[in-house]
Amino acid sequence: MRILAIESSCDETAAAVVENGRTVLSSVIASQIEEHQLYGGVVPEIASRRHSEAIAGVTRQALEQAGVTLNQLDGIAVTYAPGLIGALLVGVNFAKGLALSAGLPLIPVHHLRAHIASNYIVSPELTPAFLCLVVSGGHTHLIDVKDYTDLRVIGQTRDDAAGEAFDKAARAMGMPYPGGVHLDQIAETGNEDTFTLPHPSVQGAPYDFSFSGLKTAVINLIHNARQKDEQLPIADLSASFRKAVVDCLLRNVIRAMEDTGHETLVIAGGVSANSLLRRRLQQECRKRNWKLHMPSFDLCGDNAAMVGAQGYYEFLVEKTAGMDLNACAAMPIDDHF
Ligand code: KG4
Ligand code: ZN
């Protein structure tokens, strides 16, 4: 079964053709990051306009690279939630138009389910059940993946997402948006024991996360130094901050793995590209004999291949939509369409 997938939930316009949920025939991504960098973050209005301009070309390219035409497809999958509403609407309406004109089923896909599904592409042997840590710019979730379309959130952030904390700390250190990857690179050259930073936890909710206190601690250090005209060692501060974030993620992941009895751990989302997170997870899983699956770097961030992968499994359980499909800015992963 061949699915054309479309993704436009944030600042990447993407289209892909995916076969049977696991084989990527093409994947095209048009990033808007350079334009949003001017403003230090994604400007929703600009994002929607750029999606409108790019979506037809990106889709045509994806079809050409896969060597297929619309009438050789079996369905159109599209990210419909969660994300920036104006951005999502561009993808949803474009997908509706294509589905209507080609007489194909329309498959709505939850963005976080799609991030998880990026692992089905890189790990053909991976099948549920497993525990998944989804760490992106907007979300930090611990998810009990019982089946491809049966997912339960067992923990989540109470405030900032991990990626958001990385980006805000990086911005305070003068790095361009999105700063997570820059902070990660600079941290590789720093000493992670230089600064002692808080490791916030949420009382009574052992799998929940909180990153705002940690982020504020770093921002305060930077402001105080600036007021005294002192220079902080940015590499050391980056390394200490990155270690604190990763410590908090690992603490809850290990606890949840032990409590749920899962033996397979999966990570997904933009922050799953973080070098320290990947290294530490590899060490911890090896020690405990847990299987670990991580997306390849090209599948960590937003892309449409992952939407095509999840779309296939949604289609198998007949989760298709009519022409009245709407986009949703917020939507729980377990309460999907
Ligand atoms: O999944 P994604 O592309 O978009 C959302 O759905 O949010 O995630 C983007 C997030 C950004 O916050 C970005 O800074 C972060 O992932 N990120 C990283 C790294 N690469 C991307 N954070 C830490 N270390 C990295 N290497
Ligand atoms: Zn994402």
Side-chain angles (χ1 to χ4, degrees), residues 12 111 115 136-138 163-164 166-167 178-181 184 269-271 273-275 300-302:
E12 259 100 31
H111 184 73
H115 269 300
S136 72
E164 190 181 353
F166 268 116
D167 292 344
V181 64
D184 187 21
V271 183
N274 187 267
S275 355
C300 288
D302 289 345

Side-chain angles (χ1 to χ4, degrees), residues 7 9-10 12 82 111-112 114-115 134-139 269-270 300-303 306:
E7 156 68 40
S9 65
C10 190
E12 259 100 31
H111 184 73
L112 295 190
H115 269 300
V134 181
V135 264
S136 72
H139 299 88
C300 288
D302 289 345
N303 64 86
M306 66 184 192

